[in-house]
Amino acid sequence: MIARIAEHCFWLGRYLERAESTARVLQMTGQLALDAELPPEQCWMPALAIFGERPAFSARYGEQAESDGEAVQNFLTWEEGNFSSLVNILFSARDNARSIREVVSRECWEVTNELYLWLVGEVGKAEYTHSRYAFYLHIRRMVQLCLGLSDSTMLHDTPLDFIRLGVVLERAGQTARLLDVHHHVLAGMNQGHLVVQTALWLSLLRAGSGFEPFMKSHSGRVTGDAVAAFLLFEARFPRSVRYCLEAANRYLRQLSSPEGQGPLGQESLACLTPLLEHLRPESLVGPEATLHALLTRMVEGTSELCLLIAREYFLKTMPLGAQLGAQVMQG
Amino acid sequence: MRQSEDAGLFKGYSIIPGAFDELISPQGVPRPDFLRLLELLGSRSPDEFTRIQALAERALLNQGVTFSVYSDRRGTERIFPFCLIPRLVSARDWAHLERGLEQRVRALSAFLDDIYGEQRLLAERPELRDIILGTSLYLPHLRGVRPPGGVRIHIAGIDLIRDGQGTFQVLEDNLRTPSGVSYVMESRILSKRVLPEVLEQARVRRVDHYPAKLAETLRATSPEDPERSTVVVLTPGPYNSAYFEHSFLARTMGVELVHAADLYVEDARVFVRTTRGPRRVHVIYRRIDDAFLDPDVFRPDSLLGVRGLMKAWAAGNVTLANAPGNGVADDKAVYAFVPDFIRYYLGEEPVLAQVPTYVCAREEDRRYVLEHLEELVVKTVDEAGGYGMLMGPQSTREEREDFRQRILAEPRRYIAQPRIELSTCPTWDGATRQVVSRRVDLRPYILTSPQGSWVLPGGLSRVALRAGSYVVNSSQGGGSKDTWVQKETA
């Protein structure tokens, strides 16, 4: 497959996943603000932190605005100058899909196009104003529809492998950051607010679409350690860091299968292997081992892996390589 | 119109005096071939029509069937304005067109072979020398190159109009990168979706096999075994206004859409860069202009081109569709001589009429044009899309004076034609919720392989949406219609 197209596929996957994740985090944070008796800044700040947008937001609105849920949502949904805003992410997803219109299935393209047109049209804006929850839900559903369609209407071949690779790597990074930010907040709280803490852990699970799966596998017993371990190591949960990196490993092996020429993809695989080896509960045992250190390693490792994939597969010869997406390949 | 047809959608439909209406005779009765369709469509109510028209437009937008794309990053994309009332062509008219189009492409191919070969014509008719070799579209360094498979005009789009008597006349030949065929197929998809019963009963020939035919045509001209040949579509990229069509063709043919940067030439062979290394390319359906194809040969500043591509082509290692240099045959001044070419190369009389054309490069013609600017349509030979035109009857004194100076300065760049009364077709006007008569033209598509030519039964009917307008170009407010070619009666 053409290297340029592989790159568009990869970024289509990443942007779709990022849009879903952004909509989900905002949706859940809005719910949390209703459930937990938390100071508003502890509610909304994490949403900014997960996407690495705290500094940009503060520079624009001042630090005290972090308690203003409307300002945060507006920034993460509509802000033109914010590369991580939904409007920019969905534009980029659609732009990538359009560039490879002949590669993605018609169904998949139409959903991406429709979602973007909905967002920037009258209907999307009205939904945002009148029914915030439904607004985020619509975005999540359309993205899921698109990913589901890509799976059921495209050849299971290289282009789809690259889309999926983009999805799982984006997802691994998001889950790791989500956990890291929330864990950080929780660690800074006084012990003893068990009810509040539980609400936060539940919200974290919901933000990771993991509430029901977690309850099923833990018979309803919620503890901080169990939630963290679930989001990191649970091999059966499709948003856990391990699940995503194992899937990435599978796609990368498929892409570098022996019929290829030379050692294509070997560096990417070499980068991924130690990450997978560290993804086990034992990594958290020992005097120097902390959850934060492990998560940092995962976030940075995933980001490095993405750069290697770009170097190995996308060849970086084309001017399109400098597309918007490359700038927001955040750690 | 007579009382019997007076009801429904077509109520109050009036035709333009002097223009040939595609559906209704000057006496106000439907043409017999189309009576059935008129009844079927006429039974729809304006409400219903408004609804299905809106449905169709939304579908086009969601599918991204758009033509004019962003100049800025977030510029609006527009759908090609579209009217659901089809334009009909009878089986008899179509048979005539088919013969004429096939003949015309055959003659134009012979002309191109000659002009890039022996130049027999120029030896015998030296007075044509300046006109033919005087266009920048003639590429002298390609003389002597014979394209793989011997085909030069793989895809032709020939613009036709109908005069006041209903006679089809050729208006323009497009032998480089004629566009619009994707809209033909998208329009048909819409017709099937929103007017299924009408389409079924009108006995319309299908158009959806075009991509398969195109792929077959392209493969058949490959320098290698067609079965083992790689075909690609070469696009300038997503910011080109016809990008939708480029991706449509690649997608429906099941081939890859490439940018120039995806290709490179080694040992006079073309390769595409893939994630698994280089792969040889045998046939390129290129949708970029000659001037941008190869910075070694043409514009050195072109980023769209592929270095060495022309060498690979000349070596016979890659097919370029259409062949470079075809522009000389669709130049608007050369057009005037196509009937001569048909007689000269084929020894046949032209089947299709064409518009009388004054070539300003000829002194006699020029004198006439300058004296009759008020009656004529003056066109610049190297501009398309309705630009660089003087519509004499509607022009101001200043505009005419401007063109007079231009013609005197560079006569080779101008031609003039009498204004032809374009035929009209009932067209839905969303603003007044009425059917009104609007002028149309027709662009059929002709595919040519070493085995001969094939004409797609249908084509792009472009319609001037503004009342009184003759301009059908999409860039100037034109729209499109589905063209329904009727099946022969058994």
Side-chain angles (χ1 to χ4, degrees):
Chain A
M1 123 185 251
I2 294 170
R4 173 182 52 79
I5 292 174
E7 185 175 25
H8 282 300
C9 287
F10 182 74
W11 278 101
L12 173 61
R14 289 199 67 175
Y15 282 123
L16 284 172
E17 179 62 25
R18 193 177 293 177
E20 207 267 342
S21 153
T22 304
R24 180 157 27 81
V25 165
L26 291 176
Q27 189 183 31
M28 291 317 154
T29 307
Q31 296 294 298
L32 176 69
L34 300 174
D35 287 343
E37 289 147 15
L38 275 179
E41 65 276 11
Q42 285 194 9
C43 214
W44 290 102
M45 183 278 287
L48 288 167
I50 290 164
F51 303 109
E53 292 299 329
R54 259 185 103 179
F57 181 82
S58 299
R60 182 89 201 245
Y61 297 98
E63 221 166 280
Q64 69 287 357
E66 284 185 359
S67 59
D68 181 351
E70 278 304 297
V72 172
Q73 289 182 74
N74 197 55
F75 182 76
L76 289 175
T77 305
W78 300 110
E79 184 74 41
E80 291 274 342
N82 171 16
F83 283 126
S84 307
S85 68
L86 278 167
V87 74
N88 277 320
I89 297 169
L90 286 171
F91 173 82
S92 301
R94 186 233 183 224
D95 202 38
N96 277 279
R98 185 169 178 272
S99 299
I100 48 169
R101 185 57 201 82
E102 75 290 354
V103 175
V104 296
S105 66
R106 181 174 188 132
E107 291 89 338
C108 182
W109 151 252
E110 283 184 18
V111 169
T112 313
N113 191 38
E114 223 179 300
L115 174 57
Y116 176 72
L117 295 175
W118 173 86
L119 181 72
V120 298
E122 296 301 312
V123 188
K125 295 214 170 62
E127 194 97 314
Y128 182 81
T129 311
H130 300 299
S131 176
R132 193 66 52 83
Y133 190 87
F135 173 84
Y136 293 129
L137 190 62
H138 181 79
I139 293 174
R140 296 182 53 194
R141 282 192 175 155
M142 290 291 271
V143 171
Q144 292 296 352
L145 177 59
C146 183
L147 290 176
L149 281 168
S150 71
D151 204 53
S152 59
T153 59
M154 283 177 65
L155 277 182
H156 281 217
D157 197 2
T158 320
L160 187 61
D161 283 350
F162 273 106
I163 294 178
R164 292 277 143 190
L165 188 61
V167 169
V168 293
L169 288 178
E170 179 72 23
R171 193 176 279 176
Q174 294 283 5
T175 301
R177 275 196 299 272
L178 183 75
L179 184 55
D180 198 17
V181 168
H182 278 272
H183 194 266
H184 193 67
V185 172
L186 290 165
M189 287 179 70
N190 293 331
Q191 293 296 309
H193 291 82
L194 198 57
V195 178
V196 175
Q197 274 212 20
T198 304
L200 281 171
W201 288 120
L202 292 179
S203 146
L204 173 59
L205 281 171
R206 287 202 179 94
S209 279
F211 175 76
E212 286 178 20
F214 177 86
M215 290 308 182
K216 284 197 179 97
S217 62
H218 288 75
S219 313
R221 283 186 294 276
V222 183
T223 69
D225 288 348
V227 170
F230 182 78
L231 290 178
L232 264 172
F233 308 127
E234 178 54 65
R236 298 165 300 167
F237 176 57
R239 286 179 192 279
S240 79
V241 179
R242 171 181 281 165
Y243 183 97
C244 292
L245 292 187
E246 277 176 356
N249 191 41
R250 264 199 320 278
Y251 295 126
L252 282 172
R253 288 197 183 283
Q254 241 155 273
L255 290 170
S256 70
S257 65
E259 59 190 280
Q261 301 178 351
L264 188 65
Q266 293 310 306
E267 271 188 82
S268 303
L269 279 166
C271 172
L272 181 58
T273 311
L275 290 181
L276 278 171
E277 277 165 9
H278 269 82
L279 270 177
R280 50 182 60 146
E282 300 88 84
S283 304
L284 292 176
V285 182
E288 296 298 304
T290 64
L291 183 60
H292 178 65
L294 180 60
L295 289 167
T296 305
R297 182 171 186 148
M298 289 303 143
V299 168
E300 284 171 358
T302 308
S303 176
E304 191 195 341
L305 178 58
C306 288
L307 292 173
L308 281 174
I309 289 170
R311 200 168 76 207
E312 287 193 288
Y313 289 98
F314 311 150
L315 311 172
K316 307 316 290 177
T317 51
M318 63 301 268
L320 277 176
Q323 63 172 286
L324 170 73
Q327 300 165 32
V328 274
M329 202 187 261
Q330 58 207 26
Chain B
M1 262 165 124
R2 276 182 193 162
Q3 204 57 40
S4 58
E5 284 84 41
D6 208 29
L9 204 59
F10 289 82
K11 189 175 176 184
Y13 180 72
S14 62
I15 56 183
I16 299 174
F20 178 90
D21 191 86
E22 300 278 342
L23 220 55
I24 314 289
S25 78
Q27 290 73 42
V29 294
R31 302 185 183 279
D33 289 326
F34 309 144
L35 190 59
R36 191 72 194 279
L37 177 92
L38 205 66
E39 280 169 6
L40 286 165
L41 273 178
S43 65
R44 306 293 166 115
S45 69
D47 274 349
E48 195 184 347
F49 216 79
T50 304
R51 190 180 59 78
I52 59 176
Q53 178 78 29
L55 203 68
E57 282 172 12
R58 202 172 56 236
L60 287 177
L61 197 62
N62 281 337
Q63 288 159 25
V65 186
T66 51
F67 79 98
S68 175
V69 222
Y70 6 114
S71 41
D72 60 320
R73 197 173 83 89
R74 287 276 188 79
T76 38
E77 269 172 59
R78 282 184 297 152
I79 60 166
F80 198 178
F82 173 75
C83 167
L84 274 177
I85 301 178
R87 186 256 189 94
L88 276 143
V89 183
S90 70
R92 198 174 47 256
D93 280 344
W94 191 257
H96 168 74
L97 287 184
E98 234 168 10
R99 269 193 303 128
L101 292 166
E102 185 276 327
Q103 179 194 52
R104 197 167 173 98
V105 171
R106 197 152 37 94
L108 288 166
S109 302
F111 167 71
L112 282 168
D113 280 339
D114 183 32
I115 224 68
Y116 285 109
E118 288 182 78
Q119 301 194 338
R120 201 154 55 87
L121 175 80
L122 299 185
E124 285 177 40
R125 293 187 58 183
E127 79 277 11
L128 292 178
R129 230 186 148 76
D130 286 348
I131 287 166
I132 290 167
L133 302 185
T135 165
S136 60
L137 301 171
Y138 178 72
L139 307 175
H141 54 283
L142 298 185
R143 202 175 159 191
V145 177
R146 201 176 147 69
V151 177
R152 291 181 188 271
I153 313 173
H154 307 72
I155 304 108
I158 296 191
D159 291 348
L160 301 165
I161 55 174
R162 280 182 108 165
D163 65 15
Q165 282 67 52
T167 307
F168 279 104
Q169 301 196 4
V170 175
L171 183 65
E172 198 172 295
D173 303 292
N174 296 285
L175 312 176
R176 284 169 283 169
T177 53
S179 63
V181 77
S182 58
Y183 300 111
V184 174
M185 279 165 286
E186 289 290 338
S187 301
R188 184 59 56 83
I189 290 170
L190 281 183
S191 297
K192 280 192 228 172
R193 207 176 285 178
V194 298
L195 293 170
E197 330 75 58
V198 182
L199 188 72
E200 194 185 354
Q201 299 194 41
R203 297 181 302 107
V204 179
R205 290 175 66 182
R206 57 193 281 246
V207 293
D208 57 0
H209 50 326
Y210 179 84
K213 286 274 190 191
L214 176 61
E216 192 186 310
T217 302
L218 293 171
R219 273 185 234 289
T221 57
S222 170
E224 307 282 339
D225 177 358
E227 292 310 310
R228 283 196 299 275
S229 293
T230 297
V231 178
V232 298
V233 176
L234 174 61
T235 176
Y239 296 94
N240 183 273
S241 66
Y243 183 73
F244 166 75
E245 174 153 305
H246 306 161
S247 66
F248 176 94
L249 291 171
R251 181 163 50 89
T252 50
M253 287 195 286
V255 305
E256 271 167 321
L257 180 65
V258 304
H259 295 206
D262 300 328
L263 301 177
Y264 69 95
V265 177
E266 208 175 271
D267 293 335
R269 284 174 171 76
V270 183
F271 296 89
V272 57
R273 295 174 226 267
T274 79
T275 50
R276 296 244 169 104
R279 195 172 79 234
R280 173 88 188 273
V281 171
H282 304 93
V283 182
I284 301 175
Y285 179 18
R286 46 88 174 216
R287 294 297 296 259
I288 64 179
D289 291 340
D290 286 358
F292 296 94
L293 273 181
D294 182 348
D296 276 353
V297 180
F298 304 110
R299 298 175 56 149
D301 59 328
S302 170
L303 291 174
L304 302 176
V306 183
R307 206 169 281 286
L309 185 59
M310 294 310 289
K311 206 176 262 174
W313 181 65
N317 290 335
V318 68
T319 298
L320 294 175
N322 286 330
N326 278 5
V328 61
D330 68 14
D331 180 273
K332 288 187 177 76
V334 173
Y335 157 91
F337 304 96
V338 176
D340 291 353
F341 300 161
I342 294 174
R343 295 182 192 100
Y344 180 81
Y345 292 109
L346 310 181
E348 298 171 13
E349 273 306 300
V351 174
L352 292 174
Q354 73 173 46
V355 180
T357 302
Y358 302 95
V359 180
C360 294
R362 293 200 292 201
E363 201 192 333
E364 198 183 328
D365 287 13
R366 182 165 65 245
R367 200 175 316 121
Y368 180 86
V369 171
L370 293 173
E371 280 165 14
H372 297 84
L373 280 176
E374 245 171 295
E375 301 155 29
L376 298 169
V377 178
V378 183
K379 295 178 181 174
T380 313
V381 293
D382 44 11
E383 296 221 41
Y387 293 102
M389 275 172 74
L390 174 78
M391 297 291 277
Q394 289 145 2
S395 63
T396 64
R397 182 187 294 275
E398 287 74 34
E399 286 166 347
R400 288 196 295 277
E401 193 45 42
D402 174 39
F403 265 81
R404 179 188 308 281
Q405 297 308 325
R406 291 210 233 169
I407 292 170
L408 286 169
E410 290 179 283
R412 174 62 184 81
R413 285 192 72 199
Y414 297 91
I415 58 142
Q417 295 168 333
R419 192 179 71 178
I420 305 288
E421 196 57 62
L422 304 193
S423 62
T424 59
C425 190
T427 300
W428 177 247
D429 180 10
T432 59
R433 296 176 24 116
Q434 270 180 333
V435 176
V436 293
S437 62
R438 291 287 182 266
R439 296 186 171 87
V440 287
D441 77 352
L442 174 63
R443 175 179 290 177
Y445 297 86
I446 303 99
L447 298 179
T448 304
S449 73
Q451 286 73 46
S453 290
W454 175 81
V455 184
L456 173 71
L460 183 67
S461 281
R462 294 183 302 177
V463 51
L465 292 175
R466 280 194 286 270
S469 174
Y470 286 80
V471 184
V472 296
N473 299 90
S474 53
S475 50
Q476 312 218 353
S480 78
K481 280 175 170 295
D482 195 2
T483 309
W484 290 6
V485 173
Q486 289 191 324
K487 289 179 187 157
E488 306 268 358
T489 33

